[in-house]
């Protein structure tokens, strides 16, 4: 097993090489789409150019000059007019030109504190011109006061403001700002430990929490504040470990991007912390995983890396948040069933969250167990869903979760798209009129679909569609050891056995299914009737769901 430092060096080497090979655009930048990528890639390139222990194929002097050139162009386009409403800010994208692009509040939130870290770490190796430019830029960030905002939603923006208060307060010896940041940190930690994070599984937001507070922890000298930052980071990594399986993020998500689903590719911080999967060549969000590191407590790492052979159920209450209005006594409920080979579950309640990106339910597999995507799920698409996107689910779904079974019913109105979409990992699959039966990694999976379906095998996934305004999907998973106990020989044998167990579909969109563990599950999903969700006749009890 490699060390955290070795894994960080591997990331630095890979991204630095990519930056070295990336042509400089006519405007002096490497990227136009997101200004922050220029900062990240230039940072990695500079780090490799001045550290002979980092593997690097190229001229290090040339690499350093290239990195400094990108930095100078980047710092030059900051709004440095104190009278401007966007004082201290950068454009997010650089079109039509870096000078004409409109300024945005997002880049400085995270990039500002990271710039302090970079300028401090490499102050001896920076050229005089770049050192002066960084000093100038950081002073404008501090004077802009972008971070001087009260805590209201306890979300990722305020986490970054809190870290910035501490970082810039220390740099400019602003005792009042440090005190504000410390109080904000204490209030935030108290809030999330007592109530949970409203941004559950919120990628990439969660990593912004981790980066912001790790950056502050690595810079802050005050021992009391650093201890509180440690407690915050211990909490964050405990949360991550709970919902971790071999690089996969298991359970429901408040928000996902295409690089989070149906394949986990925003994995660099996981790789640095755990290192139990191969570093991917495609790294869509490089950010600062190669520089920032906080080693999680031993028990947390144990939880993440050594899943027991005995499956566990994770039942959580999550505070509901709609926009900026937070309701402390109004909770959502998430459920995840975790084994060594797969994890499955989701969110019992539907809520329309930011950008309508709630990911309701799925089955997740460890990254190194599959080729291509590592999540399996179905959903009814929202009217606003872009073509080809596998996110943005509608509200017309009812779900039931119990151990290795997920049931989902879809009652779709006439004014909505009359079909459901599904994504399955590549594997060994058998098709039958009632559904699909396959082996994915070390798991067997049965997918029953009420209406006729069409499966298309793509390069990295199976894409499934099924038409019908009343539809349902029932999924049951089985790990290798349980398959052996049932004397299942192969996928074909599994398909034959499971075909005889298909669900019963009744009136009012009622689905009844008896699992391999001989438990009878009932889901009535007709929104015009009383919704019923029962396991062996018993209604689901949410009293056992906890904050942590």
């Amino acid at each position: 097993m490699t060390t955290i430092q070795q894994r960080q060096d591997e990331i630095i080497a890979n991204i630095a090489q990519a930056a070295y090979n990336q042509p400089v655009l006519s405007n002096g930048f490497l990227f136009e789409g997101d200004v922050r990528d220029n900062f990240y890639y230039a940072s990695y390139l500079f780090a490799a150019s001045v550290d002979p222990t980092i593997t690097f194929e190229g001229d290090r002097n040339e690499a350093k000059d290239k990195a400094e050139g990108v930095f100078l162009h980047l710092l030059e386009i900051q709004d440095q007019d104190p009278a401007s409403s966007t004082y201290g800010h950068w454009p997010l994208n650089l079109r039509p030109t870096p000078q004409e692009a409109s300024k945005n509040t997002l880049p400085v939130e995270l990039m500002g504190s990271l710039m302090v870290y970079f300028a401090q770490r490499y102050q001896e190796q920076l050229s005089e011109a770049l050192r002066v430019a960084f000093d100038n830029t950081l002073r404008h960030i501090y004077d802009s006061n972008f971070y001087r905002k009260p805590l209201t939603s306890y979300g990722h923006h305020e986490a970054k403001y809190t870290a910035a208060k501490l970082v810039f307060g220390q740099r400019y010896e602003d005792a009042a700002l440090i005190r504000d940041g410390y109080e904000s940190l204490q209030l935030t930690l108290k809030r999330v430990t007592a109530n949970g994070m409203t941004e559950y599984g919120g990628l990439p937001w969660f990593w912004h929490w981790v980066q912001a507070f790790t950056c502050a922890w690595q810079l802050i000298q005050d021992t009391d504040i650093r201890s509180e930052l440690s407690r915050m980071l211990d909490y964050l990594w405990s949360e991550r470990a709970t919902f971790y399986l071999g690089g996969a993020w298991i359970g429901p998500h408040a928000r996902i991007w295409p690089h989070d689903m149906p394949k986990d590719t925003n994995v660099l911080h996981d790789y640095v912390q755990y290192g139990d999967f191969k570093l991917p060549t495609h790294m869509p969000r490089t950010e600062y995983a190669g520089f920032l590191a906080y080693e999680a407590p031993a028990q947390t790492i144990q939880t993440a890396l050594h899943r027991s052979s005995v499956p566990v159920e994770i039942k959580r209450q999550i505070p509901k948040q709609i926009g900026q209005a937070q309701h402390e006594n109004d909770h959502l409920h998430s459920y995840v069933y975790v084994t060594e080979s797969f994890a499955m579950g989701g969110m019992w309640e539907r809520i329309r969250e930011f950008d309508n990106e709630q990911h309701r339910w799925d089955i997740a597999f460890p990254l190194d167990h599959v080729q291509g995507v590592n999540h399996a799920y179905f959903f009814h698409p929202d009217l606003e869903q872009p073509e080809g996107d596998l996110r943005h689910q509608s509200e017309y779904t009812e779900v039931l979760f119990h151990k290795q079974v997920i049931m989902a019913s879809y009652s779709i109105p006439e004014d909505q798209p009359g079909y459901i979409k599904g994504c399955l990992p590549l594997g060994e699959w058998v098709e039958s009129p009632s559904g699909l039966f396959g082996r994915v990694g070390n798991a067997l999976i049965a997918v029953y679909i009420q209406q006729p379906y069409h499966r298309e095998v793509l390069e990295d996934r199976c894409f499934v569609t099924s038409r019908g305004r009343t539809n349902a999907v029932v999924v049951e998973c089985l790990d290798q050891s349980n398959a052996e106990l049932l004397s299942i020989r192969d996928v074909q044998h599994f398909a034959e056995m499971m075909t005889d167990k298909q669900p019963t579909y009744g009136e009012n969109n009622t689905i009844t299914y008896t699992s391999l563990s001989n438990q009878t599950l009932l889901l009535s999903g007709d929104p015009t009737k009383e919704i019923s969700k029962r396991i062996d006749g018993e209604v689901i009890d949410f009293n056992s769901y906890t904050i942590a």
Side-chain angles (χ1 to χ4, degrees), residues 6-60:
Q6 288 171 325
R7 295 192 288 272
Q8 285 191 299
D9 288 348
E10 184 183 0
I11 289 172
I12 292 173
N14 286 11
I15 301 172
Q17 201 65 54
Y20 185 73
N21 296 334
Q22 177 85 9
V24 176
L25 301 172
S26 59
N27 58 24
F29 290 88
L30 296 174
F31 306 97
E32 287 187 325
D34 190 326
V35 71
R36 294 169 293 191
D37 286 333
N38 293 284
F39 174 66
Y40 302 142
Y41 274 69
S43 296
Y44 286 108
L45 184 58
F46 189 93
S49 75
V50 299
D51 186 347
T53 67
I54 301 292
T55 302
F56 183 72
E57 296 180 7
D59 185 291
R60 293 183 189 270

Side-chain angles (χ1 to χ4, degrees), residues 414-426:
E414 290 294 329
D415 62 346
Q416 298 290 319
Y419 59 91
I420 59 174
K421 293 182 177 182
C423 181
L424 300 173
L426 298 175

Side-chain angles (χ1 to χ4, degrees), residues 1-17 43-45 47-48 51 53-55 114 117 121-122 210-211 214-215 217-218 237 267-275 279 283 286-295:
M1 177 69 77
T2 55
T3 66
I4 283 179
Q5 187 61 61
Q6 288 171 325
R7 295 192 288 272
Q8 285 191 299
D9 288 348
E10 184 183 0
I11 289 172
I12 292 173
N14 286 11
I15 301 172
Q17 201 65 54
S43 296
Y44 286 108
L45 184 58
D51 186 347
T53 67
I54 301 292
T55 302
L114 300 185
Y117 171 86
R121 174 168 172 172
Y122 294 104
V210 170
Q211 289 178 102
T214 305
C215 180
W217 177 80
Q218 291 195 199
W237 280 109
V267 295
L268 294 189
H269 293 283
D270 281 334
Y271 182 74
V272 169
Q273 187 71 263
Y274 303 123
L279 179 66
M283 294 177 277
T286 56
E287 296 185 343
Y288 251 43
F291 297 106
L292 305 174
Y294 175 86
E295 187 168 5

Side-chain angles (χ1 to χ4, degrees), residues 372-406:
V373 306
N374 67 310
H375 289 264
Y377 60 101
F378 283 73
F379 68 102
H380 176 251
D382 188 81
L383 280 171
E384 300 174 7
Q385 186 197 51
E387 186 64 32
D389 202 330
L390 288 177
R391 304 175 297 157
H392 307 291
Q393 307 180 18
S394 81
E395 63 190 89
Y396 306 106
T397 308
E398 290 296 335
V399 294
L400 189 154
F401 311 119
H402 184 62
K403 295 187 176 179
Q404 74 273 23
V405 178
I406 293 175

